[in-house]
Amino acid sequence: MRLIASLAAVAALASFAGLASAQTNLPPTISGTPPTVIKINTSYNFLPTARDPEGAALKFSVVNKPSWMAVSPNSGRLMGYPKSPGTWSNIQLRVTDGVHVVSLPAFSIQAVTTLSSNTAPRISGTPVTTATVGTAYSFQPSASDAEGNALGFTIANRPSWATFSTSTGRLSGTPTATGTFSNIVISVSDGRLTTSLPAFSIAVGSTANRAPVISGTPVRTINAGSAYSFRPTASDADGNTLTFSIANRPSWATFNTSTGQLSGTPTAAQAGTYSNIIISVSDGRATASLAAFSISVVDASSDGAVLSWTAPTSNTDGSTLSNLAGYRIAYGTSASAMTSTIQVANPSVTNYTISNLAPGTYYFAVRAYTSNGTESAISNVYSKVVQ
């Protein structure tokens, strides 16, 4: 029978309380400008832009959908073929990640017999507002015209280092000096009416993107039935938002893409070695990874003992413990002569399995030690009979 020992906190060091973190689900985003005027007996078509920060699958639906319209539940594409004039109001295209629901602003669609009056062209897109000296910059808006008229583009306050295409609206170039270029306005015209994007700025910096850094030493051995948890430390010199990913995640563990935390409780049936686990972090452009590691799940049999203890966090005088270096396990066949010693040189490990013991009664205790050699008093003594 597998036995887990619970050793009391060592006398010289206070007990440790762990903290758990929870992942917050962020809502998806959706954007785009649906056509609002269409000629009867012609095809209506609109595809929104939508994404989910956690990468969850998205589902789309329409409130107050015209009878002639269909919506793709997976892409949000609106399609249809109105056969008679009419106006359909307060239409809402919605998207959900299973938790949150967001919508485009409500809009109307008017189906007309003829497009006798000119409709202003549409323009959309979100320009990148940062650039780097020596690195190419590019932005091209999307534009369309309900009547199919030829479109021409203009720009106000074009940065001196950039070129602009009057036929596509593409703004591109490589900045040569730092600075902020403000109040840039890109417009499109069908020859009679003009529509513009909101004014924007481009801030040019002097340094290229720097890759994030990630560190941490994963616990590599865990007893079946015990909780496993490892969370790396990561940062980005440019202050970019970081996301985490994992390769070869153990089947018994979950992974948090916002924090990089790997956690779970393996069962005895899941004992074994889980190899080539790689945790990575990305700032959206560059990625850094921890070295590949393995986790061994041990199922202690009747010829062994599973020991667990509480990591201390303070000294006997009440001051914060900042240099905990590891633990020393003492054991033997007499409580007064525990002459065998095992050193656990990792302060984050709080359990250990001793296997292949000969039949008999064994006694176990643990001490904590610091990087300067200070040791705690011995813990309570735990005993086990090995058959």
Side-chain angles (χ1 to χ4, degrees), residues 29-248:
T29 59
I30 185 171
S31 61
T33 305
T36 57
V37 178
I38 184 173
K39 185 178 179 181
I40 63 172
N41 297 319
T42 60
S43 296
Y44 183 93
N45 193 299
F46 168 68
L47 179 65
T49 298
R51 64 179 297 273
D52 185 76
E54 288 83 24
L58 298 178
K59 292 296 181 181
F60 296 82
S61 60
V62 176
V63 176
N64 298 318
K65 180 174 66 68
S67 59
W68 50 266
M69 177 183 287
V71 58
S72 169
N74 296 322
S75 70
R77 184 182 292 275
L78 303 181
M79 303 162 287
Y81 195 83
K83 295 183 178 181
S84 58
T87 299
W88 294 265
S89 303
N90 200 30
I91 303 169
Q92 293 184 19
L93 177 57
R94 296 181 172 179
V95 64
T96 180
D97 61 358
V99 178
H100 300 282
V101 178
V102 295
S103 306
L104 284 179
F107 62 98
S108 299
I109 299 176
Q110 181 182 15
V112 297
T113 304
T114 59
L115 295 174
S116 56
S117 59
N118 183 60
T119 303
R122 295 182 299 272
I123 185 171
S124 61
T126 303
V128 177
T129 57
T130 59
T132 302
V133 171
T135 302
Y137 174 95
S138 180
F139 166 68
Q140 182 172 326
S142 298
S144 61
D145 187 76
E147 291 82 26
N149 296 320
L151 298 177
F153 295 83
T154 57
I155 188 171
N157 301 312
R158 174 180 59 84
S160 56
W161 47 265
T163 59
F164 183 76
S165 171
T166 57
S167 59
T168 66
R170 182 183 181 88
L171 177 66
S172 59
T174 301
T176 57
T178 61
T180 299
F181 301 83
S182 305
N183 202 32
I184 304 168
V185 180
I186 296 177
S187 304
V188 64
S189 173
D190 63 359
R192 288 191 287 172
L193 296 175
T194 299
T195 307
S196 303
L197 287 177
F200 64 96
S201 299
I202 302 175
V204 179
S206 59
T207 59
N209 179 65
R210 290 166 288 183
V213 295
I214 185 171
S215 62
T217 304
V219 177
R220 298 174 181 269
T221 303
I222 181 71
N223 296 317
S226 297
Y228 179 94
S229 181
F230 167 68
R231 178 174 175 175
T233 299
S235 61
D236 186 77
D238 306 308
N240 296 321
T241 300
L242 298 178
T243 56
F244 295 83
S245 61
I246 188 171
N248 302 311

